[in-house]
Amino acid sequence: MTAHFAAICGRPEAIARVAATVADQSEVEICEVSPGIFLLVNDPTSVHILPEQCGVIIGTLFHRYGPPEAVHSLGSADSSAIVATGGELLLQRFWGSYVAIFSTNRGLMVLRDPSGTMPCHYIIRQDMVVLGSDPELLLNIASLRPEVDTRGLLHSIAFLGLPSERTALDGVNDLLPGMSIRVQDNDVVVEVRWNPWDFVAIAQGEDAQENIVQLRRRIEYCISSWASVYDRGLAAVSGGLDSSIVAACLAKTGALQACLTLVTNDPLGDERPYSGLLAEHLHVPIAEEYYSIEDIDLDRSSVSHRARPFGRLDALAYDAAAVRTANSLGSTAIFSGNGGDNVFYLSHSARGWADRYLAEGISWGLVETARNICQVTGANLLQLLRHGIQAVRLADKPYKWVPDTAFLSGDAIAALVDHEITHPWLRTPPNGSLPGKAAHVAMLMRMQHSIEGYAERAGVPVIHPLVSQPILELCLAIPTWQQCSGGRDRAIARSAFAGALPASLIERRNKGSPQGFAFEAFRHFRANIRERLMDGWLIENRILDKQTVEAALEPDVRHDSRAMLRLSLLVDTEAWINQWRHRAKDAATTAPDFDAPGLSPTIRAG
């Protein structure tokens, strides 16, 4: 079961009234963690109460140095140390999918784990902080109407994948992975508690063979740990490296029920030869499901449960097929290889060469890396040097996150000029940056919205074990140039599992894609997409340019994949907006307990 929670924190007399009202209206049992913290949670086994009523940890915890199984109870020494260190002990000795809430002598502290698999939104009001995994539940508790935040929505569309505290729902903030908020005396501070750059500097010169050994050990350990919680796993496999690694490790634990592969009518999306080979190798059955147009509903966003839009049409079909299979098998969870490309640094750029030059200077190793990158990218030596030297020259500049302005109106694009692109992880570290590692950190950021948004589908938990904290930290420490060794992308991961997977899967360079189905769905719904966008909220509120959208959706216009996926995102965004506006009509219009204005959080790097 996936943990869903809400917490009401603040002045005891104020939050006690709200907690009692919520309990009466929703028939939800509320746990009083302390006079200043009330908790609602769907799964009591996911709750770890800290000593002396000082706080609570919600979610799944594993001990970094213990056996591969979930922590069911925290010892008094660990519990006290977690509070005494402001949660630092959690980051150093534990990992998992959790949110920690506790009182300190510096005020209320809330910490979210670095993997980002446990969502955590918050609403700040006078005398009160409402936290939770589900934005609709938070808004209900706060008696607030769910209103679309136009500026937050524009950020979501233009900077897709860039994490932000501000969501597309007015008043709802995100606590980002690896960060904490501290609330004291009408002051709210967001602090960085887990910084990826702290791990980049650990061992850039580490021996590649040692990294191979350590990566396999950590992945097997993390997946064994998750298998101890979900012992009947369905592995969603795509015929590629990452999902195959997850399936192989899950099979080793004995928790793999079956593999699942989804098939499109387009041969490019038929991965059955490779996924079937994997299932045969692992001695498990494989379920084959087709993507179906019938599972797509333009009135329903694939991420209507989240506080910002980022879905697309084919996601609904994938979810429906995966959930049907999981339910038919009685699976306790779907295991995914999602995030593997980001964690293992699948890159087709010259940044790995730039990293090695900055780390070692001119060397024979630099020549070897140039040859490897040319093999991976297909570029010639002059092209590599041109791009590599440019990356070296820009190494002391922060990573540049480029907005996608396709189909945006002139007003929207003008608004982006003054829109600050900020995230503590994007800042250049004090000792200088490695361009490849800056891109690696950005890749980890890009995956967060997907990891958070797909933590559960229709009540079935979805586990993304490759984004577990111990794996993230090791991969950040592996030099980027090692990840292209032998002219192969994700080379360390390939070598780590060379003995556990068929050679044809390990050495596979190209992979199929469900993009053919995405095009099929786009063509099928084209007229409806045109109608919904032309008459929709985004054009009415001058987010999109009407003439550009109208021209793009003429019947005879052919699109490349980028334009098609962009339009798919926009029509899913219209569905997201309409679903939240519909909820607003049903929401309470008065909020007697929340008459005072909220507080404005400020960011400070910790």
Side-chain angles (χ1 to χ4, degrees):
M1 178 184 295
T2 303
H4 293 263
F5 78 96
I8 310 168
C9 312
R11 199 161 45 86
E13 58 270 26
I15 68 171
R17 290 197 311 271
V18 175
T21 301
V22 172
D24 289 341
Q25 293 178 350
S26 63
E27 299 182 355
V28 173
E29 184 175 342
I30 295 183
C31 166
E32 182 180 359
V33 175
S34 72
I37 302 174
F38 283 83
L39 178 69
L40 299 81
V41 67
N42 68 325
D43 179 12
T45 64
S46 67
V47 176
H48 301 268
I49 302 292
L50 298 177
E52 300 179 7
Q53 294 188 310
C54 63
V56 62
I57 301 170
I58 308 107
T60 305
L61 275 182
F62 304 103
H63 203 292
R64 189 181 289 260
Y65 306 109
E69 58 189 36
V71 174
H72 297 294
S73 62
L74 286 167
S76 58
D78 281 337
S79 297
S80 299
I82 287 170
V83 178
T85 61
E88 195 64 29
L89 187 84
L90 272 175
L91 296 171
Q92 294 177 357
R93 297 188 184 177
F94 296 87
W95 63 277
S97 176
Y98 64 85
V99 172
I101 306 168
F102 46 89
S103 301
T104 72
N105 55 10
R106 300 176 63 202
L108 178 73
M109 180 77 73
V110 185
L111 171 66
R112 185 179 176 195
D113 91 86
S115 73
T117 52
M118 169 73 82
C120 185
H121 311 286
Y122 64 96
I123 296 174
I124 303 288
R125 310 301 289 180
Q126 184 173 354
D127 300 325
M128 202 170 306
V129 183
V130 184
L131 304 143
S133 54
D134 303 87
E136 185 174 16
L137 180 58
L138 264 65
L139 289 162
N140 288 341
I141 291 173
S143 296
L144 295 176
R145 290 169 57 89
E147 301 287 353
V148 174
D149 179 340
T150 304
R151 190 167 178 83
L153 182 73
L154 175 59
H155 181 282
S156 297
I157 295 174
F159 298 99
L160 185 66
L162 175 62
S164 172
E165 287 81 14
R166 187 173 189 166
T167 73
L169 292 175
D170 190 30
V172 179
N173 301 293
D174 255 352
L175 177 56
L176 301 180
M179 298 193 185
S180 68
I181 58 169
R182 182 169 49 82
V183 185
Q184 185 178 33
D185 298 332
N186 295 335
D187 183 34
V188 182
V189 179
V190 180
E191 298 177 308
V192 180
R193 304 297 302 280
W194 184 91
N195 192 327
W197 287 106
D198 293 340
F199 302 95
V200 170
I202 288 177
Q204 279 297 320
E206 190 70 39
D207 178 74
Q209 190 57 44
E210 179 63 20
N211 285 331
I212 290 168
V213 173
Q214 290 301 322
L215 182 60
R216 177 160 178 171
R217 286 177 180 171
R218 287 208 189 181
I219 292 175
E220 289 182 340
Y221 170 74
C222 289
I223 293 178
S224 293
S225 299
W226 284 114
S228 73
V229 180
Y230 302 100
D231 59 352
R232 298 192 307 278
L234 173 66
V237 297
S238 63
L241 177 68
D242 306 329
S243 60
S244 297
I245 287 174
V246 171
C249 292
L250 196 59
K252 189 175 180 180
T253 69
L256 178 60
Q257 274 188 309
C259 293
L260 166 66
T261 185
L262 264 69
V263 185
T264 71
N265 293 322
D266 178 5
L268 182 63
D270 187 350
E271 289 292 305
R272 286 178 292 184
Y274 288 96
S275 54
L277 176 65
L278 172 67
E280 182 181 357
H281 179 80
L282 300 178
H283 306 291
V284 296
I286 183 165
E288 299 172 358
E289 287 277 349
Y290 274 85
Y291 284 91
S292 174
I293 292 289
E294 294 179 358
D295 290 322
I296 296 178
D297 180 357
L298 294 188
D299 290 325
R300 186 163 59 93
S301 167
S302 61
V303 290
S304 62
H305 57 302
R306 303 299 350 137
R308 59 170 57 86
F310 55 85
R312 61 190 210 195
L313 297 180
D314 55 302
L316 289 170
Y318 180 93
D319 294 344
V323 169
R324 279 195 298 267
T325 304
N327 287 337
S328 68
L329 294 174
S331 303
T332 51
I334 298 169
F335 280 74
S336 161
N338 194 9
D341 289 349
N342 309 66
V343 175
F344 299 147
Y345 188 63
L346 195 165
S347 173
H348 287 179
S349 79
R351 290 190 179 96
W353 181 90
D355 281 8
R356 190 157 198 176
Y357 171 78
L358 289 168
E360 299 179 355
I362 300 296
S363 66
W364 284 112
L366 193 64
V367 175
E368 178 189 15
T369 296
R371 183 173 62 249
N372 290 336
I373 293 177
C374 286
Q375 285 184 256
V376 170
T377 63
N380 60 45
L381 184 59
L382 289 178
Q383 291 172 321
L384 168 73
L385 291 175
R386 184 170 69 250
H387 289 286
I389 291 170
Q390 182 183 24
V392 170
R393 288 174 176 169
L394 296 175
D396 60 344
K397 306 291 184 183
Y399 182 88
K400 186 176 181 181
W401 201 291
V402 180
D404 187 344
T405 60
F407 303 110
L408 295 185
S409 69
D411 289 344
I413 294 172
L416 293 175
V417 174
D418 298 325
H419 196 108
E420 185 181 7
I421 304 175
T422 178
H423 191 290
W425 293 2
L426 291 178
R427 297 171 189 154
T428 303
N431 59 346
S433 173
L434 296 174
K437 279 301 170 185
H440 192 183
V441 169
M443 289 171 73
L444 297 182
M445 293 166 61
R446 288 183 191 278
M447 76 180 182
Q448 287 176 359
H449 71 283
S450 176
I451 294 297
E452 175 187 300
Y454 296 100
E456 179 186 65
R457 305 316 276 167
V460 180
V462 181
I463 308 302
H464 312 289
L466 296 181
V467 307
S468 298
Q469 182 183 343
I471 300 172
L472 292 179
E473 292 172 356
L474 176 59
C475 288
L476 282 164
I478 295 174
T480 53
W481 61 85
Q482 288 185 10
Q483 293 289 19
C484 64
S485 299
R488 306 180 301 170
D489 62 63
R490 297 165 292 172
I492 298 297
R494 291 181 191 273
S495 297
F497 287 89
L501 293 169
S504 57
L505 282 174
I506 290 292
E507 299 301 329
R508 191 180 184 194
R509 305 300 176 92
N510 298 309
K511 192 180 73 169
S513 166
Q515 198 171 94
F517 175 75
F519 270 107
E520 179 186 345
F522 182 81
R523 289 190 296 267
H524 181 86
F525 290 107
R526 188 180 190 122
N528 288 332
I529 290 172
R530 185 179 190 277
E531 178 183 352
R532 288 163 191 266
L533 289 179
M534 295 304 297
D535 297 332
W537 190 95
L538 293 170
I539 284 179
E540 180 183 347
N541 287 271
R542 297 188 296 178
I543 300 292
L544 299 183
D545 182 76
K546 184 174 183 178
Q547 292 182 332
T548 305
V549 173
E550 186 175 27
L553 290 170
E554 290 292 335
D556 57 344
V557 175
R558 297 176 64 87
H559 294 292
D560 59 18
S561 60
R562 182 175 178 273
M564 181 274 296
L565 292 174
R566 181 70 168 170
L567 289 165
S568 177
L569 164 71
L570 295 175
V571 75
D572 192 273
T573 298
E574 286 286 356
W576 182 92
I577 293 168
N578 288 333
Q579 286 181 275
W580 278 106
R581 293 178 73 191
H582 179 76
R583 289 167 180 153
K585 293 179 182 178
D586 299 331
T589 57
T590 59
D593 289 317
F594 294 90
D595 291 335
L599 306 175
S600 298
T602 57
I603 296 178
R604 185 176 72 219

